[in-house]
Amino acid sequence: MGKRVYNFSAGPAMLPTEVLEASAAALVDYKGKGYGIAEVSHRSKDFDAVMDEVKARAKALMSIPDGYDIVFSQGGASQLFLTIPWNFLQGSADYVVTGEWAKKAAEAAKAYGTVNVLASSEGTAFDRIPTGWTPAANASYLHVCTNNTIYGTRWSTLPEHPCLFADMSSEFMARVVDVSKFALIYGGAQKNLGPSGVCMSIVRKDLYARIPKSVPKLFNYQVLAEQDSRINTPPTFGIYILLETFRWLEKQGGIAAIEARNEEKAALIYDAIDRAPDFYQGTVTDTPNRSRMNITFRLPSEELTEKFIKEADKKGMVSLKGYRTVGGIRASTYNAMPVEGCAALARHMDEFLAANGKK
Ligand SMILES: Cc1ncc(COP(=O)(O)O)c(C=O)c1O
């Protein structure tokens, strides 16, 4: 293994070293066959076995009930912002806008019908999860983004709705969710699951009845599911990395154990913020809904922010810069980030405060 640092990137993000090593080995010589897993047909027996195992493991990890399909597709969640309403929006759909991605999802859906933005926290720089809204009675679905990657909020309690759609890109398999409460869960893989270029969707099968005939097969969720995500060549190596991640997740004790670790990790950093709230200014006011995946805060000045990032880098902590339009610091602490990485960051915060805070 080469050098590894604590990588707080928001995505593509750190992956477990074991997952990378196992994937790298399979890339060169898959099970001693003399060829790599990226060098076989997506319709080969080798890849059939990968698909069967990846779905079985996802089903077991997330306790996905019968009546749902797992679909892997190419591209990012942004493509699905379009594909989903194309398939499932008839008339109108409800969106709660908690951040930039939720807003983009709502914008994209406008091409397919009426979008009701039930509530938005944009007016307060997405510092909270909006409350006091009610879903429309006749909307096709209610769409939420469960974790706000950029501004650092999450829905600690998820809303209830008979047709709940969720973008879980930045907390897929990072917390326990009751899949039966959702009609559709989707996300890009590049934060918690694997590399960019692969999306995973969990679709309740009764939704298929709604798909208009005009949706081409390549984008039709039912066809994608029936063809086992292989209507054309899927991102095979990306899917293989997901399989290694799912094996790793199981070894960690499953999603409940990972969630407990994620709580512990986030608490280390939030405690450091809360010990010095004048120096480390959390950007989220709605503290029960602070993200466990993307922890955002500001320092008193741009100079101090730069210095904080530079000194962290020297200590082996990278990619702490906030989103380009937001600034400040963002520490992304996805499943692969070890507790020690968060402890190291909390220590850096305390030391930096001691050296640079008001005496
Ligand atoms: C919550 C969320 N949704 C959607 C996206 C868009 O993903 P992509 O760039 O893969 O389209 C992101 C990207 O960071 C995200 O964090």
Side-chain angles (χ1 to χ4, degrees), residues 76-78 81 101 145 147 149 167 169-170 190-191:
S78 303
F81 292 167
W101 297 114
C145 177
N147 182 78
T149 323
D167 172 2
S169 295
S170 49
Q190 67 267 26
K191 295 153 201 306

Short mmCIF file of all heavy atoms in Angstrom, two decimals, residues 76-78 81 101 145 147 149 167 169-170 190-191, ligand 1:
data_model
loop_
_atom_site.label_atom_id
_atom_site.label_comp_id
_atom_site.label_asym_id
_atom_site.label_seq_id
_atom_site.Cartn_x
_atom_site.Cartn_y
_atom_site.Cartn_z
N GLY A 76 -24.40 10.44 -13.19
CA GLY A 76 -24.47 10.93 -11.81
C GLY A 76 -25.91 11.15 -11.40
O GLY A 76 -26.84 10.97 -12.20
N ALA A 77 -26.08 11.60 -10.16
CA ALA A 77 -27.42 11.88 -9.67
C ALA A 77 -28.09 12.97 -10.51
O ALA A 77 -29.31 12.99 -10.65
CB ALA A 77 -27.35 12.29 -8.21
N SER A 78 -27.27 13.86 -11.09
CA SER A 78 -27.84 14.93 -11.91
C SER A 78 -28.63 14.37 -13.09
O SER A 78 -29.66 14.93 -13.47
CB SER A 78 -26.75 15.85 -12.43
OG SER A 78 -26.01 16.37 -11.36
N PHE A 81 -31.91 13.35 -11.78
CA PHE A 81 -32.83 14.48 -11.53
C PHE A 81 -33.81 14.62 -12.70
O PHE A 81 -34.93 15.09 -12.55
CB PHE A 81 -32.07 15.80 -11.38
CG PHE A 81 -31.23 15.92 -10.14
CD1 PHE A 81 -30.29 16.94 -10.03
CD2 PHE A 81 -31.37 15.05 -9.07
CE1 PHE A 81 -29.51 17.09 -8.89
CE2 PHE A 81 -30.58 15.18 -7.93
CZ PHE A 81 -29.65 16.20 -7.84
N TRP A 101 -28.47 20.91 -4.25
CA TRP A 101 -28.82 19.74 -5.05
C TRP A 101 -30.32 19.53 -5.09
O TRP A 101 -30.88 19.17 -6.13
CB TRP A 101 -28.09 18.49 -4.55
CG TRP A 101 -26.62 18.64 -4.68
CD1 TRP A 101 -25.69 18.72 -3.69
CD2 TRP A 101 -25.87 18.79 -5.91
NE1 TRP A 101 -24.43 18.89 -4.22
CE2 TRP A 101 -24.52 18.94 -5.57
CE3 TRP A 101 -26.23 18.82 -7.26
CZ2 TRP A 101 -23.52 19.11 -6.53
CZ3 TRP A 101 -25.24 18.97 -8.22
CH2 TRP A 101 -23.90 19.12 -7.86
N CYS A 145 -33.95 15.60 -0.45
CA CYS A 145 -32.53 15.23 -0.49
C CYS A 145 -32.15 15.02 0.98
O CYS A 145 -32.17 15.98 1.76
CB CYS A 145 -31.72 16.36 -1.13
SG CYS A 145 -29.96 16.06 -1.16
N ASN A 147 -29.51 14.33 2.73
CA ASN A 147 -28.32 14.96 3.32
C ASN A 147 -27.80 16.02 2.36
O ASN A 147 -27.57 15.75 1.18
CB ASN A 147 -27.23 13.92 3.58
CG ASN A 147 -26.01 14.54 4.22
OD1 ASN A 147 -25.99 14.82 5.42
ND2 ASN A 147 -24.97 14.79 3.44
N THR A 149 -25.12 17.99 1.07
CA THR A 149 -23.66 17.86 0.98
C THR A 149 -22.93 19.19 1.10
O THR A 149 -21.82 19.25 1.61
CB THR A 149 -23.31 17.26 -0.42
OG1 THR A 149 -24.29 16.30 -0.79
CG2 THR A 149 -21.94 16.62 -0.42
N ASP A 167 -33.12 11.56 -2.70
CA ASP A 167 -31.73 11.60 -3.17
C ASP A 167 -30.86 11.36 -1.94
O ASP A 167 -30.81 12.18 -1.03
CB ASP A 167 -31.44 12.99 -3.78
CG ASP A 167 -29.97 13.19 -4.13
OD1 ASP A 167 -29.16 12.25 -3.94
OD2 ASP A 167 -29.62 14.31 -4.58
N SER A 169 -27.56 10.59 -2.21
CA SER A 169 -26.18 10.54 -2.72
C SER A 169 -25.14 10.64 -1.62
O SER A 169 -24.16 9.91 -1.62
CB SER A 169 -25.94 11.69 -3.70
OG SER A 169 -26.73 11.55 -4.85
N SER A 170 -25.34 11.59 -0.69
CA SER A 170 -24.25 11.81 0.27
C SER A 170 -24.47 11.12 1.61
O SER A 170 -23.73 11.40 2.55
CB SER A 170 -23.98 13.31 0.43
OG SER A 170 -25.16 14.02 0.67
N GLN A 190 -20.34 8.13 -5.59
CA GLN A 190 -18.98 8.61 -5.33
C GLN A 190 -18.70 9.21 -3.95
O GLN A 190 -17.68 9.86 -3.77
CB GLN A 190 -18.55 9.60 -6.42
CG GLN A 190 -19.31 10.91 -6.44
CD GLN A 190 -20.51 10.91 -7.37
OE1 GLN A 190 -21.06 9.87 -7.64
NE2 GLN A 190 -20.91 12.07 -7.86
N LYS A 191 -19.60 9.00 -3.02
CA LYS A 191 -19.34 9.50 -1.66
C LYS A 191 -19.17 8.35 -0.67
O LYS A 191 -18.13 8.22 -0.04
CB LYS A 191 -20.43 10.46 -1.23
CG LYS A 191 -20.42 11.71 -2.12
CD LYS A 191 -21.74 12.36 -2.20
CE LYS A 191 -21.90 13.25 -3.41
NZ LYS A 191 -20.89 14.29 -3.59
C1 LIG B 1 -26.86 15.16 -2.60
C2 LIG B 1 -26.32 15.24 -3.98
N1 LIG B 1 -27.15 15.05 -5.01
C3 LIG B 1 -26.69 15.10 -6.28
C4 LIG B 1 -25.38 15.37 -6.57
C5 LIG B 1 -24.95 15.45 -8.01
O1 LIG B 1 -24.17 14.38 -8.32
P1 LIG B 1 -23.45 14.22 -9.74
O2 LIG B 1 -22.39 15.26 -9.82
O3 LIG B 1 -22.90 12.84 -9.67
O4 LIG B 1 -24.48 14.38 -10.78
C6 LIG B 1 -24.48 15.56 -5.53
C7 LIG B 1 -23.06 15.83 -5.83
O5 LIG B 1 -22.25 16.15 -5.02
C8 LIG B 1 -24.97 15.50 -4.20
O6 LIG B 1 -24.15 15.71 -3.18
#
